[in-house]
């Protein structure tokens, strides 16, 4: 072999051995690096010659579509796919990335129970798309005074988990005492009682979303919902007034950002709990 059969100073020697840039059509979810800034993220949107990347911290940066990117170390020239001028990643109200259309799932044996109808409506509005995607049914109890018997009737076991979301799960409350009684039932790791600090789930909605600085303080001997409406100067005579007020509050909720972060965490924990025996199905 002739080690000197090429002129090392001939044109193109500077690029010898370097990876050549290739054209790559963009795809939502593709992980891309912009080396001049060091920003790496997935493609969540493109339009009008601009691509938007989002990193693991949910920070976004926009860059011109074209050359100057890396995909798995390969230099690429990002291109708009044929017949698409723009695209954007969709999200559910809970903040999850919306999945492509899939056939309806058969409901899992595992369940999430919530204490009241309003709790169920709030969970459905924010996490409904996610719950349908994983096949989890949420049922409301109308109260938890007989939760020990309700859990016993459900018969939790592996593959048939039960998660319960209750109001006012704080030290010394009736709800905390009932949760301890359930824990004595011998169901081990197949039951989870989760809860929030609020007297009522209305308080899980950030007060500024309905135009107040904080939720009113209501005496313990007064019905909390009616007392709250009274303090806000709203009709509170009967259940019809309560129902109308709740629908007005619920209408102000469009995503998880409208709710208290601690409440969001509890709901997410319960969803994770009831699906962990079924992860291979998703």
């Amino acid at each position: 072999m002739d080690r000197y059969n090429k002129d090392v100073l001939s044109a193109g020697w500077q690029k010898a051995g370097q990876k050549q840039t290739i054209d790559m059509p963009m795809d939502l979810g593709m992980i891309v690096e912009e080396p001049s800034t060091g920003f790496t993220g997935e493609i969540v949107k493109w339009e009008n010659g601009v691509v938007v990347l989002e990193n693991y911290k949910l920070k976004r940066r926009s860059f011109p579509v074209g050359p100057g990117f890396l995909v798995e170390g390969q230099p690429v020239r990002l291109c708009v796919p044929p017949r698409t001028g723009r695209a954007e990643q969709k999200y559910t109200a809970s903040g999850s990335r919306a999945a492509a259309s899939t056939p309806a799932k058969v409901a899992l044996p595992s369940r999430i129970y919530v204490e009241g109808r309003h709790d169920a409506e709030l969970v459905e509005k924010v996490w409904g798309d996610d719950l349908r995607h994983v096949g989890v049914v949420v049922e409301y109890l109308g109260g938890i005074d007989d939760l020990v018997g309700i859990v016993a009737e459900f018969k939790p076991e592996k593959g048939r988990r039960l998660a319960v979301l209750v109001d006012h799960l704080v030290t010394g409350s009736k709800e905390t005492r009932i949760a301890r009684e359930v824990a004595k039932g011998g169901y081990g790791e197949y039951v989870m009682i989760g809860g929030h600090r609020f007297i009522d789930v209305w308080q899980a909605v950030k007060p500024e979303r309905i135009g107040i600085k904080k939720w009113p303080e209501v005496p313990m001997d007064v019905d909390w919902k009616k007392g709250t409406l009274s303090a806000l100067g709203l009709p509170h005579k009967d259940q019809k007034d309560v129902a109308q007020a709740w629908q007005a509050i619920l209408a102000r909720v469009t995503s998880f950002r409208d709710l208290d972060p601690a409440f969001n965490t509890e709901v997410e924990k319960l969803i994770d709990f009831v699906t962990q025996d079924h992860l291979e199905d998703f």
Side-chain angles (χ1 to χ4, degrees):
M1 179 181 297
D2 183 358
R3 296 173 57 192
Y4 306 102
N5 64 347
K6 292 184 179 179
D7 181 357
V8 296
L9 299 181
S10 61
W13 66 269
Q14 300 95 332
K15 297 182 179 180
Q18 294 183 5
K19 294 181 178 179
Q20 298 301 302
T21 298
I22 62 173
D23 290 340
M24 182 169 290
M26 293 181 290
D27 191 16
L28 293 175
M30 178 188 293
I31 303 299
V32 176
E33 178 185 353
E34 203 289 319
S36 68
T37 61
F39 191 87
T40 300
E42 64 176 297
I43 296 176
V44 295
K45 179 181 180 180
W46 68 79
E47 64 177 328
N48 301 325
V50 173
V51 60
V52 180
L53 306 182
E54 181 180 273
N55 68 10
Y56 71 98
K57 294 182 179 179
L58 303 183
K59 301 295 184 182
R60 292 189 174 190
R61 293 283 299 273
S62 299
F63 302 96
V65 172
F69 297 94
L70 297 175
V71 174
E72 297 183 349
Q74 168 67 52
V76 301
R77 180 183 296 102
L78 294 179
C79 308
V80 176
R83 297 182 298 280
T84 64
R86 64 187 301 271
E88 183 172 2
Q89 177 67 59
K90 303 299 183 181
Y91 293 84
T92 67
S94 71
S96 302
R97 300 196 185 284
S101 298
T102 56
K105 290 184 178 293
V106 176
L108 298 180
S110 300
R111 290 286 188 274
I112 296 176
Y113 287 171
V114 296
E115 189 170 351
R117 185 183 297 275
H118 294 178
D119 306 63
E121 291 176 348
L122 184 59
V123 171
E124 161 61 28
K125 183 159 189 181
V126 177
W127 288 274
D129 289 339
D130 305 66
L131 292 166
R132 282 183 286 277
H133 177 67
V134 297
V136 172
V137 174
V138 174
E139 301 178 15
Y140 82 94
L141 298 174
I144 64 166
D145 288 351
D146 190 31
L147 187 58
V148 172
I150 291 170
V151 174
E153 182 178 0
F154 184 83
K155 297 181 176 61
E157 60 183 1
K158 182 175 175 59
R160 183 178 170 81
R161 293 172 178 262
L162 179 62
V164 185
L165 179 68
V166 302
D167 299 335
H168 205 218
L169 196 65
V170 297
T171 302
S173 69
K174 175 191 73 173
E175 290 80 5
T176 299
R177 176 182 56 78
I178 293 173
R180 284 200 300 266
E181 292 299 316
V182 172
K184 296 176 183 178
Y187 307 106
E189 60 181 305
Y190 305 121
V191 173
M192 174 182 283
I193 308 295
H196 50 80
R197 67 186 185 279
F198 307 120
I199 296 173
D200 190 276
V201 77
W202 288 21
Q203 293 176 301
V205 179
K206 292 179 178 178
E208 57 267 28
R209 294 299 186 267
I210 64 168
I212 60 177
K213 292 183 177 180
K214 65 176 183 177
W215 286 97
E217 298 287 339
V218 177
M220 294 184 62
D221 60 343
V222 175
D223 178 271
W224 189 87
K225 291 185 174 72
K226 292 181 178 179
T228 294
L229 295 179
S230 175
L232 295 176
L234 297 172
H236 56 280
K237 179 180 178 181
D238 51 28
Q239 189 57 38
K240 180 180 179 181
D241 290 333
V242 171
Q244 289 179 341
W246 168 242
Q247 291 307 312
I249 294 169
L250 188 62
R252 301 293 183 89
V253 176
T254 59
S255 79
F256 72 99
R257 295 182 179 86
D258 299 319
L259 305 179
D260 184 274
F263 179 81
N264 295 335
T265 298
E266 288 303 315
V267 176
E268 296 283 354
K269 283 166 55 178
L270 297 183
I271 295 174
D272 290 344
F273 174 77
V274 296
T275 55
Q276 61 183 272
D277 290 336
H278 314 279
L279 293 178
E280 67 277 5
D281 297 330
F282 308 141

